[in-house]
Amino acid sequence: MENKKLCMALFSGSIDKLTAAGIILSGAAADDMDVDIYVLLQGARAFKKEIGDDASKLSMAEYPHLKDEFMESLAKLKVCTWVEFFRQAKELTNVKIHICGLAGKIWGGEKLEDFIDLADDIVGIGSYMTAAQEADVHLFI
């Protein structure tokens, strides 16, 4: 039997939404789903090597004035960082992370080496459209 497929468009580069994406990704990995993540626009900035897991360089999409409280709560609860969630999911199941070529260029990243080692390739938007059409579950974050 073939694994179910999750296609996630990760538009946001905010710490709260990246954390949510990581939690969802963990659930998909636990269900042994195949996952394709397409990193779009602001999401691509978070995947840049100089940003990555440095929460101080990421904003909050919801309630930005509560970022310190959010981060302190995550630490108190020993919740993984978004990068750790993504890395663990890649170790558990078939997860591919695709950086949108235009988004990468917007943030100064044109080569795979410009992004954290979780990124698998740089693709055009057509790849995302095909994956979204073929997925069993499609999420836009």
Side-chain angles (χ1 to χ4, degrees):
M1 189 165 125
E2 215 171 275
N3 291 348
K4 296 272 187 178
K5 293 182 181 178
L6 167 66
C7 178
M8 182 187 298
L10 186 55
F11 165 83
S12 178
S14 66
I15 190 71
D16 49 341
K17 292 189 177 188
L18 288 164
T19 301
I23 293 166
I24 292 168
L25 184 55
S26 294
D31 279 350
D32 204 26
M33 296 180 81
D34 292 334
V35 180
D36 279 305
I37 299 173
Y38 290 85
V39 182
L40 311 173
L41 295 177
Q42 285 83 348
R45 180 181 174 273
F47 277 80
K48 293 283 308 280
K49 275 187 177 171
E50 64 271 21
I51 306 290
D53 219 5
D54 186 347
S56 70
K57 296 181 178 177
L58 300 171
S59 64
M60 286 269 288
E62 303 287 332
Y63 307 110
H65 62 287
L66 297 177
K67 181 180 177 184
D68 289 342
E69 182 180 335
F70 178 73
M71 297 308 298
E72 288 169 12
S73 187
L74 291 178
K76 181 179 174 185
L77 296 169
K78 298 183 172 49
V79 175
C80 294
T81 68
W82 73 271
V83 170
E84 291 169 338
F85 274 125
F86 279 59
R87 192 173 310 285
Q88 290 172 2
K90 285 190 83 149
E91 291 171 5
L92 291 173
T93 194
N94 182 24
V95 176
K96 298 291 183 210
I97 299 175
H98 315 278
I99 306 293
C100 168
L102 176 60
K105 288 178 184 174
I106 288 170
W107 297 108
E110 297 193 28
K111 302 177 301 233
L112 195 56
E113 299 76 40
D114 295 329
F115 299 94
I116 58 177
D117 63 348
L118 295 171
D120 291 292
D121 56 14
I122 298 173
V123 299
I125 199 66
S127 296
Y128 162 67
M129 295 307 295
T130 300
Q133 291 171 7
E134 295 174 351
D136 297 295
V137 178
H138 178 239
L139 301 174
F140 187 92
I141 298 175

